[in-house]
Every structure is written in structure tokens, then in C-alpha cells.
């Protein structure tokens, strides 16, 4: 029952929804908008786990539904406008706009989720900016590897929440949704990370981490350690050197396996931090 509710349903829902968006979309738009599946499934999970979403929303992390809904609206609008006016071209001007939009969204979501502006808000936004930039860079070269990083980081958040004795349902459901998208992206590497995926997929990662840190600052070191997941492809490339990897199939799996080390260290740090805080 728990497996079906907290893993199987979000996993299958994300996989099926991403497949439908990919199939219905035309002129490459479906390939870029498929990432909306992660945001839609996470929004549903947030509404289910956190209860009725009040309107107007209050400034706290119980209103993740509205934050992700805003990310979906902004991301889909940006991706469709970009597809219509720029196409698949990656120009410096487009990248600057993307990063500025990502930072503004991260800042607004962090302030809204915490209810105030403090030093931890700025640290979250800085970390979010690095993650968004890193995912964008990796996805341009190999989008399944970027999807593997996102799914691994989501699994890492679940491990941190479990090790710290915090609520795990939302983290597990997000990890399942990210895993469903990764599976499709692994099968079909033509899927691309647009702003929709950045603001809702990576955005959900930031919001779950924000909720955990709002519960206790003891998990803050763990969240920073999880950031190394987004560089897990580096040791894999260094290990294999100039030998060419079958990028499509093997590289994402090896990246996910390399992510196990920072995930384990983050979970250990969370367990130690929470127990130290309680003593």
C-alpha cells in the first residue's frame, strides 16, 4: 500500500504524462514540454500531502502547490515563446534570460516559502542558481545525464528526510516523479530540459529542501553535500578518460551510481546533525 501510494503512482503518472506530452507536442515543443510532467505530479502530491491549499496563499512552505503552479505557467510560456521565436538555437542572450528568470523564481519561492528574508534564503538561492546552471549545461550535452542527476538528488532528499526522522512522503513522491521522467528521457534522449523542467523539476527539489530546512537547520550541511550529485558525471568521465562511452545508455546509469556516495554522506550528516541537535 505504501509502495503504491508513495512510489508506484507518482512514478507511473509522471512517465505516462511525459509520454503523452511528448507525443501530442509538435515541432519539437513536446520534447521540451515533457518535463512539465514532474511539476504536475509534484503539485498533485503537494496538494494531497499538505492538505487544502488556501486562497490567497500564505507565505509559508505549506503552499508549494501555488509555487509549482506558478513555475509551470512561467516555464511553459517561456518555452513555447522561445520555440516560436528562436527555435532550438542556444544563444548567449537566451541563456542570460533563462538564468535571470531562474534566479528570480528561486528568490521569490525561497522568500515565500520561508516567510521572511534571511541569510539562509540567500544561501538557498545561491545553491539553486548553481544547480540550475549546472543542469542546463549538462542537459545541452546529454539530457538523460541531467535527468539522472535530478532523480538522484530527489532520492537523496528522501534519504536525508528518512535519516533525520522528518516527513518523507513528499520527498519520496517527488523522487518517484523524477524517476519516471528519467526513465522516459533515458529511452528517448531527444527530450530537452527547458525552463519548464528547470522551474518545476529543479524547483521542486529546492522546495522540498526548503521544507526540510524549515523543520530543522541540522539538515543544512546535508543539503549542501547533495549538491555534489550535480557533478557526479565528472569522476565517471575522468575514470574512463578518452575511451568513448555509449553516452545514450551507460553514462546516465554510471552517473546515478556515482551519486550514491554524496547521497550516503548527506544521509549520514543528517542523522548525526539531528541527533547532535537533540542532545
Amino acid at each position: 500500500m505504501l509502495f503504491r501510494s508513495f512510489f508506484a503512482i507518482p512514478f507511473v503518472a509522471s512517465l505516462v504524462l511525459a509520454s503523452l506530452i511528448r507525443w501530442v507536442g509538435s515541432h519539437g515543443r513536446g520534447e521540451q514540454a515533457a518535463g512539465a510532467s514532474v511539476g504536475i505530479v509534484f503539485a498533485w502530491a503537494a496538494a494531497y500531502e499538505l492538505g487544502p491549499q488556501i486562497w490567497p496563499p500564505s507565505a509559508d512552505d505549506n503552499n508549494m502547490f501555488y509555487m509549482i503552479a506558478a513555475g509551470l505557467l512561467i516555464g511553459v510560456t517561456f518555452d513555447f515563446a522561445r520555440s516560436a521565436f528562436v527555435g532550438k538555437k542556444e544563444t548567449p542572450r537566451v541563456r542570460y534570460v533563462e538564468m535571470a528568470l531562474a534566479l528570480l523564481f528561486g528568490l521569490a519561492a525561497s522568500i515565500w516559502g520561508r516567510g521572511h528574508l534571511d541569510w539562509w534564503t540567500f544561501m538557498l538561492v545561491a545553491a539553486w542558481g548553481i544547480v540550475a546552471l549546472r543542469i542546463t549545461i549538462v542537459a545541452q550535452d546529454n539530457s538523460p545525464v541531467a535527468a539522472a542527476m535530478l532523480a538522484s538528488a530527489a532520492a537523496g532528499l528522501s534519504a536525508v528526510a528518512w535519516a533525520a526522522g522528518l516527513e518523507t512522503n513528499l520527498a519520496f513522491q517527488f523522487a518517484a516523479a523524477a524517476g519516471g521522467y528519467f526513465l522516459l528521457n533515458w529511452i528517448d534522449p531527444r527530450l530537452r530540459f527547458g525552463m519548464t523542467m528547470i522551474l518545476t523539476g529543479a524547483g521542486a527539489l529546492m522546495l522540498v529542501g526548503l521544507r526540510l530546512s524549515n523543520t530543522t537547520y541540522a539538515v543544512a550541511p546535508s543539503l549542501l553535500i547533495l549538491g555534489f550529485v550535480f557533478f557526479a558525471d565528472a569522476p565517471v568521465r575522468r575514470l574512463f578518460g578518452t575511451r568513448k562511452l555509449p553516452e545514450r545508455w551507460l553514462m546516465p546509469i554510471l552517473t546515478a551510481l556515482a551519486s550514491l556516495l554524496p547521497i550516503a554522506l548527506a544521509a549520514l550528516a543528517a542523522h548525526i546533525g539531528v541527533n547532535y541537535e537533540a542532545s
Side-chain angles (χ1 to χ4, degrees):
M1 182 65 179
L2 288 175
F3 176 81
R4 184 173 71 244
S5 299
F6 300 135
F7 185 81
I9 292 177
F11 181 89
V12 173
S14 179
L15 176 61
V16 171
L17 189 56
S19 301
L20 286 174
I21 296 172
R22 166 70 181 87
W23 179 65
V24 171
S26 59
H27 305 294
R29 293 174 181 172
E31 298 170 358
Q32 198 158 28
S37 64
V38 178
I40 292 171
V41 173
F42 179 75
W44 167 82
Y48 177 79
E49 290 297 329
L50 303 179
Q53 304 291 293
I54 63 172
W55 184 264
S58 57
D60 57 52
D61 58 17
N62 285 317
N63 290 289
M64 289 188 189
F65 173 85
Y66 293 115
M67 300 178 200
I68 289 297
L72 274 169
L73 179 61
I74 296 169
V76 169
T77 301
F78 182 90
D79 285 339
F80 271 77
R82 173 184 168 178
S83 179
F85 295 105
V86 181
K88 296 183 179 180
K89 296 179 182 178
E90 281 290 343
T91 64
R93 182 175 298 179
V94 171
R95 291 181 187 175
Y96 294 149
V97 173
E98 287 178 342
M99 288 312 302
L101 190 59
L103 286 173
L104 286 173
F105 176 81
L107 179 61
S110 296
I111 295 175
W112 194 267
R114 287 188 60 74
H116 58 274
L117 185 65
D118 59 5
W119 64 273
W120 183 239
T121 305
F122 287 111
M123 288 193 66
L124 281 171
V125 174
W128 153 257
I130 294 171
V131 167
L133 178 61
R134 179 63 181 163
I135 286 181
T136 302
I137 292 173
V138 173
Q140 289 171 2
D141 179 54
N142 191 322
S143 63
V145 171
M149 290 177 174
L150 181 63
S152 297
L157 278 180
S158 302
V160 167
W162 175 78
L166 305 177
E167 61 176 40
T168 58
N169 293 354
L170 194 59
F172 275 124
Q173 292 181 77
F174 168 52
Y181 178 83
F182 163 65
L183 178 59
L184 180 64
N185 199 180
W186 188 53
I187 295 171
D188 183 2
R190 291 173 298 176
L191 299 185
R192 303 196 307 277
F193 270 57
M195 282 307 295
T196 304
M197 188 58 167
I198 296 297
L199 297 186
T200 61
L205 186 75
M206 178 186 67
L207 292 174
V208 174
L210 173 68
R211 186 170 176 84
L212 294 179
S213 64
N214 280 351
T215 305
T216 172
Y217 283 122
V219 300
S222 299
L223 300 182
L224 297 179
I225 292 172
L226 278 180
F228 287 99
V229 166
F230 295 96
F231 298 89
D233 62 321
V236 175
R237 297 184 190 279
R238 182 179 293 274
L239 178 64
F240 283 87
T242 57
R243 286 177 289 176
K244 185 172 178 59
L245 282 171
E247 294 275 329
R248 175 177 175 179
W249 300 106
L250 189 56
M251 189 65 185
I253 301 301
L254 292 176
T255 300
L257 290 175
S259 300
L260 292 176
L261 178 58
I263 289 173
L265 292 176
L268 179 61
H271 180 72
I272 293 174
V274 168
N275 282 280
Y276 178 80
E277 185 181 55
S279 64

